[in-house]
Amino acid sequence: MNHFDVIVVGGGSVGLTTACALGAQGVRVAVVEPRPIAAAPVAAGHNPRVFAITRASQQIFTALGIWDAILAGGAYPFRDMRVWDAGGDGAIHFDCADIGEPYLGHMIEPQVIQAALQQRAQSLAAITLFCPARVTEIDVTREPVTATLDDGSGLSADLVVGADGVHSPLRERLEIGTRTHDYRQGSLVARVLTEQDHQATAWQRFLPGGPLAFLPTADGWCSIVWTLPAETAQQMLNADKPAFHEALGVAFDFRLGKITDSGPREVFPLQRLHAEHYVEERVALAGDAAHAIHPLAGQGINLGLLDAAVLAEVVLTARERQKNIGSLHVLRRYERWRRGDNQLMMTAMDGFNRLFGNTQPALRQVRNLGLSLMDAVSPAKALLVRHAMGLAGDLPALARRDTTSPYTE
Ligand SMILES: Cc1cc2nc3c(=O)[nH]c(=O)nc-3n(C[C@H](O)[C@H](O)[C@H](O)COP(=O)(O)OP(=O)(O)OC[C@H]3O[C@@H](n4cnc5c(N)ncnc54)[C@H](O)[C@@H]3O)c2cc1C
């Protein structure tokens, strides 16, 4: 039986960020991940999906020492965001200059983040990667937690972290309940080329069937996230290129001219999920395993990275005070810190999705007025954008831009 302080189940971005934040401070971590590590990660410019990464997430990556590797792998800063309603003339424009910042965030392909985190985890002596491997048995009822992997390895630890994604086999195995809602929508993602330059701007048009985002990337292409009723998403997935380009151009009101080329398409079915609790004695859930939200504001991974940073801070503080890192008392601090914020974001995304999906003329008028009002009131707009960038709120040390962070190199 190999003993660790923490077992992290799931080596995606949230699991590896948790592991690196702990491992960098000497906490012994085992990471169990079924997907093998790619020998050579796919270069940027090929993935149909990009993540809009906030300044808080950037700060977490900087503190972990991987931001330069991410920049080298491909990260594109965007300066503006334009949001408008297809059902009226309400619009809002966010400009990084309004809040005295050089950019609003970065567009980064998932595999670029994954490769930088894997490299960092492999370089830390305190981290052992069990990959590819899966947990076949786990017992959290006694101290320490014990786990058996499908390669026959036996592990024990004081705490197990479930960061194994929205379908979390660990959450299921431990019978932690969830509240779920099927949006009956799918998000179609693809890389597309437009007639006109994207102007380093993230564009989003709200349509009755769901929002359509054009996210700018370094090579001049855009990565689209087109949320549609589930059936229409499948039709668009299977449409031939000319029909797809025309339908997409119309949906986007030809804001950047015609669509002239596109790459492979993928559809992600959308659901909202919130675990009934994030922690139990010796167990913590993080990232999509704890909460999955509508992608309309591109916040999912950013929330998960904040979970990872808070969980690491709570565990490190407990360890420093020689407390049991798996005790419910310690772990509840993590849940109290993160659950409310995640719930708030979830409720806001739901509200937007419902508000803009409604075609009632009176409501349409009110929301258009609301958008225009918000655009005109600078302090309200600045507050909104600071929250969306992750520059406001109760941030953990890893995500703060100050010198008191224990991680500042
Ligand atoms: C269309 C779309 C667009 C999005 N755009 C954005 C965006 O712009 N910005 C943003 O912030 N978020 C975005 N998101 C959300 C984002 O994709 C997720 O929130 C994020 O990937 C969750 O990370 P995670 O590490 O928690 O889970 P995952 O990335 O799902 O990682 C889970 C890991 O667990 C592993 N695993 C699975 N089963 C097991 C097992 N049995 N044992 C061990 N490990 C296991 C998996 O292999 C995987 O590596 C988007 C989502 C969608 C659907």
Side-chain angles (χ1 to χ4, degrees):
M1 189 70 75
N2 296 312
H3 187 74
F4 296 89
D5 299 308
V6 180
I7 299 170
V8 175
V9 179
S13 3
V14 173
L16 284 176
T17 299
T18 311
C20 290
L22 292 170
Q25 303 297 314
V27 178
R28 290 163 304 163
V29 187
V31 179
V32 185
E33 166 59 43
R35 277 186 307 184
I37 295 178
V42 182
H46 294 87
N47 200 321
R49 196 146 80 111
V50 295
F51 288 146
I53 290 296
T54 61
R55 300 297 296 277
S57 297
Q58 176 188 342
Q59 181 53 37
I60 292 173
F61 292 143
T62 303
L64 293 180
I66 62 165
W67 183 244
D68 287 346
I70 289 176
L71 283 181
Y76 183 68
F78 62 100
R79 294 187 302 267
D80 290 54
M81 187 184 281
R82 289 186 180 274
V83 179
W84 72 105
D85 184 3
D89 51 11
I92 188 161
H93 173 213
F94 300 107
D95 180 343
C96 58
D98 289 343
I99 52 162
E101 294 283 338
Y103 45 81
L104 292 176
H106 285 81
M107 298 300 171
I108 309 175
E109 290 174 33
Q111 80 280 5
V112 172
I113 296 175
Q114 188 69 13
L117 279 167
Q118 280 168 347
Q119 226 171 34
R120 181 73 178 128
Q122 283 170 320
S123 76
L124 289 168
I127 298 181
T128 308
L129 287 172
F130 292 87
C131 176
R134 271 174 209 276
V135 174
T136 53
E137 272 172 54
I138 189 152
D139 183 0
V140 300
T141 58
R142 269 174 295 224
E143 201 180 308
V145 172
T146 53
T148 309
L149 308 188
D150 55 0
D151 63 3
S153 313
L155 316 180
S156 66
D158 303 325
L159 167 66
V160 61
V161 175
D164 46 351
V166 65
H167 303 295
S168 177
L170 184 76
R171 189 189 64 221
E172 301 274 302
R173 195 185 286 259
L174 300 181
E175 295 180 0
I176 300 178
T178 55
R179 262 177 246 147
T180 55
H181 169 70
D182 183 352
Y183 285 111
R184 297 172 201 273
Q185 288 174 315
S187 279
L188 183 147
V189 297
R191 286 169 45 75
V192 305
L193 191 61
T194 51
E195 236 173 1
Q196 294 161 24
D197 180 45
H198 56 47
Q199 303 155 42
T201 298
W203 309 80
Q204 179 139 281
R205 184 175 196 223
F206 278 98
L207 293 136
L212 166 60
F214 273 57
L215 308 175
T217 68
D219 55 9
W221 286 57
C222 288
S223 169
I224 61 151
V225 185
W226 190 4
T227 301
L228 292 157
E231 224 170 87
T232 321
Q234 284 304 319
Q235 283 163 7
M236 281 299 115
L237 180 70
N238 299 322
D240 59 32
K241 263 194 183 189
F244 172 65
H245 292 177
E246 179 59 20
L248 180 62
V250 169
F252 196 53
D253 203 19
F254 296 102
R255 190 72 180 244
L256 297 175
K258 285 187 183 153
I259 312 296
T260 55
D261 202 357
S262 63
R265 294 164 232 163
E266 246 183 278
V267 168
F268 292 84
L270 299 187
Q271 65 166 322
R272 179 187 68 219
L273 176 147
H274 211 180
E276 275 166 11
H277 46 269
Y278 291 8
V279 297
E280 284 187 354
E281 199 76 56
R282 295 177 279 280
V283 179
L285 299 178
D288 275 20
H291 48 79
I293 71 168
H294 199 288
L296 71 82
Q299 287 292 338
I301 196 179
N302 293 298
L303 295 180
L305 294 173
L306 283 172
D307 289 353
V310 167
L311 182 56
E313 185 167 325
V314 165
V315 166
L316 289 171
T317 308
R319 195 164 169 261
E320 215 175 86
R321 296 181 185 160
Q322 296 180 343
K323 287 189 182 160
N324 178 354
I325 61 169
S327 89
L328 191 56
H329 177 72
V330 164
L331 297 174
R332 277 214 171 114
R333 188 170 161 233
Y334 157 65
E335 182 170 68
R336 279 197 303 273
W337 196 338
R338 289 302 305 148
R339 195 182 171 86
D341 275 5
N342 291 334
Q343 180 66 59
L344 195 69
M345 188 63 84
M346 241 174 215
T347 310
M349 293 312 106
D350 256 22
F352 277 124
N353 194 44
R354 246 177 296 152
L355 179 66
F356 284 94
N358 199 311
T359 47
Q360 272 184 17
L363 198 73
R364 231 169 40 200
Q365 246 178 3
V366 172
R367 76 178 181 231
N368 275 282
L369 190 70
L371 268 184
S372 305
L373 251 175
M374 177 66 88
D375 195 49
V377 182
S378 309
K381 198 162 85 162
L383 191 71
L384 192 69
V385 79
R386 290 191 80 77
H387 265 280
M389 287 170 72
L391 291 171
D394 186 10
L395 294 174
L398 209 58
R400 284 200 301 262
R401 284 193 292 184
D402 61 31
T403 47
T404 57
S405 162
Y407 293 88
T408 307
E409 290 182 320

